[in-house]
Amino acid sequence: MDESRYQDWRTANLAGYPRSVDDLVVEIGGLGRLSETERAAILARFPRCNMAIYACRDETADRAAVVQFAARFGLRRLDYHLCVNDDGVSELSVAGSGVRTGYVPYSNRSLSWHTDGYYNDLSRPVRAVVLHCVETAATGGENALLDPEIAYIRLRDENPAFITALEHPECLTIPANTGEDGTDEIRPEVCGPVFSRDPHSGALHMRYSARKKNIRWRDDQLTREALGFLTELLAATEGPVLRYRLRAGEGLISNNVLHNRTAFEDGPGQRRLLYRARYYNRIESES
C-alpha cells in the first residue's frame, strides 16, 4: 500500500489495539447456540487485533460443535493436515503413541512463537484458526498472543527495509518432512516470504516460526537484523504481547495470530485437551 494509506492503517491499528487481554473476552451461551448479538461482539474485536477469546456458559462441546461455530464466521475451508481427524479437527493433548508423538504440539513441552501452518504449501495458507479448550492442564499451558499487523508496524517503524527483507520470496524455507527414518517424503520443502498479502482482500498474512531446527532463513544481514528485532519484540515483558491461559469452555478464534505456549503438566484425572480447526480463509469483520 502507498505511504498515505499505510499511515492511516497504522494509526487505526495502534489506536484500537487492546490494552488488556480482558478486552478480547466475549461471554457466549455455547458453541452450538451462538446468538447474533454474541457473534457481533466477537466480530467487533477483529478490527482491533484480529482475534477474540470466547467463554461459554455451557461448556459442553465436541469437535462437530467447533466446526459449526466456525461456520458462523464464514470458515468452511478446513486444512486437512497430517495429524488431523477425518472431520478436519485435531485434538491437542499429550500423545502416548502413533504419528503424533513426533510433533511438539502433541506433547507437554513448550511451543515457540509461530503462526499455524507456516510449513504449508504456499497455495494452502492457514488464514484462520479456532482453538477450543475442553480441559485445561493442572499447571502451565499459557498462550502469548500478538496480532501480526502490530508486528509488521513495529518492524516497519524500526526500519522499512526490514519489511522488504521479510517479503522476499526466499526469506523462509522449511525443509521437507521425510519422517523418522528420513526416507519417506511426507511433505516437500516449502520456501516463501514471512509477510504477504491476500490476493483477493489485500489483508496481511504472516508465516513465521521461531524454531531453531528444521528451518532455514535467507542468509543476509538485513534478514538477520529483522529477525533479531522481531525476537526482541516477542520476548519483551512490556509491550503489545497479550497472555492468556484458556480454561475449560473457552477458546480463541483468530486470523492466525502469532502465538506460543508454555510447557504444562497434567494431573491425576486432569488431562489437557484442546480442539483445533484451521482454515484457508479469513474471518472478515462486518463492522
Coordinates of all heavy atoms in Angstrom, one line a residue, residues 177-186:
N177 N 9.7 -32.7 5.1 CA 9.4 -33.6 6.2 C 9.6 -35.1 5.6 O 8.8 -35.5 4.8 CB 8.0 -33.4 6.8 CG 7.7 -34.4 8.0 OD1 8.5 -35.3 8.3 ND2 6.6 -34.1 8.6
T178 N 10.7 -35.7 6.0 CA 11.0 -37.1 5.5 C 10.7 -38.2 6.5 O 11.2 -39.3 6.3 CB 12.4 -37.1 5.0 OG1 13.3 -36.7 6.0 CG2 12.6 -36.2 3.8
G179 N 10.0 -37.9 7.6 CA 9.7 -38.9 8.5 C 10.8 -39.3 9.4 O 11.9 -38.7 9.3
E180 N 10.6 -40.2 10.3 CA 11.6 -40.6 11.3 C 12.8 -41.2 10.7 O 14.0 -41.0 11.2 CB 11.0 -41.6 12.3 CG 9.9 -41.0 13.2 CD 9.4 -41.9 14.3 OE1 10.0 -43.0 14.3 OE2 8.5 -41.6 15.0
D181 N 12.7 -42.0 9.6 CA 13.8 -42.6 9.0 C 14.5 -41.9 7.9 O 15.5 -42.3 7.3 CB 13.5 -44.1 8.5 CG 12.4 -44.0 7.5 OD1 12.0 -42.9 7.0 OD2 11.9 -45.1 7.1
G182 N 13.9 -40.7 7.6 CA 14.4 -39.8 6.6 C 14.3 -40.3 5.1 O 14.9 -39.8 4.2
T183 N 13.4 -41.3 4.9 CA 13.3 -41.8 3.5 C 11.9 -41.5 2.9 O 11.8 -41.6 1.7 CB 13.5 -43.3 3.5 OG1 12.5 -44.0 4.4 CG2 14.9 -43.7 4.0
D184 N 10.9 -41.3 3.7 CA 9.5 -41.0 3.2 C 9.2 -39.6 3.2 O 9.2 -38.9 4.3 CB 8.5 -41.8 4.0 CG 8.7 -43.3 4.0 OD1 9.1 -43.8 3.0 OD2 8.5 -43.9 5.1
E185 N 9.0 -39.0 2.0 CA 8.7 -37.6 1.9 C 7.2 -37.3 2.3 O 6.3 -37.6 1.5 CB 9.0 -37.0 0.6 CG 8.8 -35.5 0.5 CD 9.3 -34.8 -0.7 OE1 10.5 -34.4 -0.8 OE2 8.5 -34.7 -1.7
I186 N 6.9 -36.9 3.5 CA 5.6 -36.6 4.0 C 5.1 -35.3 3.4 O 4.0 -35.1 3.1 CB 5.5 -36.6 5.5 CG1 5.9 -38.0 6.0 CG2 4.2 -36.3 6.0 CD1 6.1 -38.1 7.5

